[in-house]
């Protein structure tokens, strides 16, 4: 029987040591790659060649090996009818605006790019729909932990072929479907998302559209973050919104809080609204909304040629448990409502605080309101600075258990706080209005006659 003595053990240890050193030397001069170059898979990036298959092959390899896919500067033409998809555990990185993935102009499609899975990062890539897709980037149902940062998403539109499915579909820069969570969009730009043809009487475009798959039993996206992002040139005035956060389950009175934030973003040339919320549990803070229109924003659908408001609203709230704070709304034009809170269903637990809303001095102010409040319960409107317009604050439908306090309202051509309604059987109960600083031409505070449940101390 073979028996190891001390000499054999020393020899064996020496051999193992030599093999280890050789392995380390090999790994030093032949390190395992951490990044895959898309050009090594045949992509040209010359703005002419069809790079669809090469890109998908590279992305699949990155998913399998859990490696980053690098897109050197160049323009990568893709056929958007071939579903280009990034899957779990993959990172795309480019050279910023110099790394462009662009739709082939000759072939209209639903989307330029799909994201499906978890632990996905996209950084410094330009996605150009080339006005040949309805949606530029789509985050598929069930995806999670997806981050898009330092990127540009642009040029979504509709086909001019009336027989095409792409003729009147909703247009979006980024579309986020349901059952998704921990989606982050940071330091990204979304631009030139324009609807051309009517859908159910309206032309619908969204810079970022958060919704659910039609007909599916999905919940709206949760733990979503959109921050430090610029969204602009979204239209037309019929129904062009910078961000639309939608939870269709609200129609069935199924309540969930999304625990989401829309923070420190910039909006301009968003033809109808900057932000519309039809979902619960969202904080909208620190955003800058510029109203660049001035008597030049026209409808393009059934009212084509008719002048629309400069902007219908900066922020519209149709959900519960919403905080709207420290936002600045300003510009040349007026808002029909700077901040609009519902006009139909009752919403609850709404805070509107420390916002600055300024209507343009040369704009038409008739019919405009800085903060326009519909059916609401349990709310506070405080410490806002409101300037110009026909009214500062107007509670025009049913309102219960609310405070309107410490607002600075300067309306040289209009009124301050209006708690009256022209609608029959609509009332305000248990409203406390106090410590507001109001300078107004027509009235400071207007209340319904005989309503003893409104408490004034202003």
């Amino acid at each position: 029987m073979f028996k190891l003595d001390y000499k054999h053990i020393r020899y064996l240890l020496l051999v193992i040591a030599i093999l280890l050193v050789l392995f380390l030397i090999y790994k030093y001069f032949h390190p395992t790659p951490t990044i895959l170059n898309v050009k090594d898979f045949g992509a040209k990036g010359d703005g002419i060649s069809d790079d669809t298959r090469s890109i998908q092959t590279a992305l699949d390899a990155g998913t399998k090996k859990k490696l980053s896919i690098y897109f050197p500067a160049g323009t990568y033409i893709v056929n958007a009818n071939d579903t280009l998809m990034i899957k779990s555990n993959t990172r795309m990185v480019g050279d910023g605006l110099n790394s462009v993935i662009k739709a082939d102009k000759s072939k209209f499609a639903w989307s330029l790019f799909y994201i499906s899975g978890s632990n996905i990062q996209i950084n410094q890539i330009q996605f150009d729909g080339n006005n040949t897709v309805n949606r530029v980037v789509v985050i598929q149902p069930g995806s999670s932990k997806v981050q898009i940062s330092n990127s540009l998403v642009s040029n979504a539109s509709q086909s001019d072929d009336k027989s095409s499915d792409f003729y009147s579909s909703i247009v979006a820069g980024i579309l986020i479907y349901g059952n998704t969570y921990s989606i982050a969009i940071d330091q990204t730009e979304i631009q030139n998302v324009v609807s051309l043809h009517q859908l159910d009487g309206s032309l619908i475009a969204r810079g970022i559209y958060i919704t659910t798959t039609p007909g599916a039993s999905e919940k709206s996206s949760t733990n979503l973050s959109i921050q430090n992002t610029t969204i602009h040139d979204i239209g037309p005035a019929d129904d062009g919104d910078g961000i639309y956060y939608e939870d269709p389950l609200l129609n069935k009175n199924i309540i969930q809080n999304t625990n989401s934030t829309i923070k420190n973003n910039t909006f301009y040339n968003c033809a109808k609204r900057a932000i519309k919320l039809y979902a619960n549990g969202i904080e909208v803070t620190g955003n800058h909304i510029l109203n660049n229109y001035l008597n030049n924003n026209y409808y393009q659908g059934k009212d084509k040629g008719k002048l629309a408001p400069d902007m219908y609203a900066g922020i519209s709230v149709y959900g519960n448990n919403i905080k709207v704070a420290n936002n600045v709304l300003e510009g040349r034009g007026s808002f029909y409502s700077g901040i609009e809170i519902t006009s139909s269903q009752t919403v609850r637990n709404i805070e509107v605080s420390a916002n600055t809303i300024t209507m343009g001095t040369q704009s038409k102010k008739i019919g405009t309101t800085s903060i326009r409040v519909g059916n609401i319960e349990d709310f506070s409107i405080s410490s806002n600075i409101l300037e110009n317009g026909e009214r500062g604050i107007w509670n025009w439908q049913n309102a219960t258990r609310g405070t309107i306090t410490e607002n600075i309202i300067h309306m040289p051509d209009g009124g301050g706080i209006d708690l009256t309604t022209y609608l029959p059987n609509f009332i305000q109960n248990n409203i406390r209005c106090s410590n507001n600083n109001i300078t107004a031409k027509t009235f400071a505070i207007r209340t319904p006659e005989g309503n003893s449940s409104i408490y004034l101390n202003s």
Side-chain angles (χ1 to χ4, degrees), residues 27 75 106 154 158 209 223 298 310 355 380 404 454 457:
K27 292 295 290 183
T75 299
S106 66
S154 64
Q158 294 170 325
Y209 186 22
N223 297 100
Y298 290 89
D310 294 329
N355 302 283
S380 65
I404 303 173
I454 295 177
N457 181 19

Side-chain angles (χ1 to χ4, degrees), residues 384-412:
N384 300 284
I385 300 173
L386 314 176
E387 188 163 1
N388 300 329
E390 187 174 50
R391 294 177 178 88
I393 299 169
W394 187 16
N395 233 148
W396 70 288
Q397 290 183 309
N398 291 317
T400 303
R401 296 185 302 275
T403 59
I404 303 173
T405 61
E406 299 183 351
N407 299 283
I408 299 173
I409 303 174
H410 178 60
M411 297 287 147

Side-chain angles (χ1 to χ4, degrees), residues 152-258:
L152 172 63
V153 177
S154 64
N155 302 327
S157 191
Q158 294 170 325
S159 170
D160 287 326
D161 180 0
K162 291 185 178 181
S163 65
S164 170
D165 292 336
F166 313 127
Y167 179 77
S168 59
S169 294
I170 294 175
V171 178
I174 298 175
L175 174 60
I176 303 171
Y177 278 122
N179 290 347
T180 54
Y181 67 91
S182 297
I183 310 296
I185 301 171
D186 186 19
Q187 298 187 50
T188 289
E189 184 174 359
I190 294 98
Q191 67 176 18
N192 193 28
V193 179
V194 180
S195 179
L196 303 174
H197 312 298
Q198 294 187 49
L199 174 66
D200 298 329
S202 189
L203 285 82
I204 304 175
R206 317 291 190 209
I208 300 175
Y209 186 22
I210 304 103
T211 186
T212 58
T213 306
S217 57
E218 297 172 359
K219 292 184 177 180
S220 186
S221 185
T222 57
N223 297 100
L224 171 76
S225 170
I226 304 171
Q227 61 181 3
N228 306 312
T229 287
T230 300
I231 302 174
H232 61 96
D233 293 287
I234 315 296
D238 304 67
D239 205 354
D241 298 337
I243 295 174
Y244 184 18
Y245 204 138
E246 176 184 46
D247 184 356
L249 290 179
L250 286 185
N251 296 330
K252 301 178 180 179
N253 202 31
I254 298 174
I255 306 301
Q256 71 153 356
N257 280 327
T258 67

Side-chain angles (χ1 to χ4, degrees), residues 11-29:
Y11 177 76
L12 182 60
L13 291 175
L14 179 61
V15 171
I16 292 172
I18 292 171
L19 291 174
L20 179 61
V21 169
L22 291 174
F23 174 77
L24 292 174
I25 292 172
Y26 175 83
K27 292 295 290 183
Y28 180 81
F29 289 102

Side-chain angles (χ1 to χ4, degrees), residues 78-82 101-114 127-138 153-160 164-167 169-174 192-196:
V78 300
N79 176 4
N81 283 284
D82 294 336
I101 299 175
K102 188 173 185 179
D104 184 338
K105 188 70 173 178
S106 66
K107 303 170 183 177
F108 214 99
W110 284 115
S111 306
L112 175 66
F113 215 91
Y114 292 85
F127 296 95
D128 184 355
N130 204 15
N131 295 316
T132 316
V133 295
N134 289 143
R135 299 92 187 249
V136 183
V137 175
V138 174
V153 177
S154 64
N155 302 327
S157 191
Q158 294 170 325
S159 170
D160 287 326
S164 170
D165 292 336
F166 313 127
Y167 179 77
S169 294
I170 294 175
V171 178
I174 298 175
N192 193 28
V193 179
V194 180
S195 179
L196 303 174

Side-chain angles (χ1 to χ4, degrees), residues 408-421:
I408 299 173
I409 303 174
H410 178 60
M411 297 287 147
D413 300 313
I417 299 173
D418 192 346
L419 301 176
T420 66
T421 176

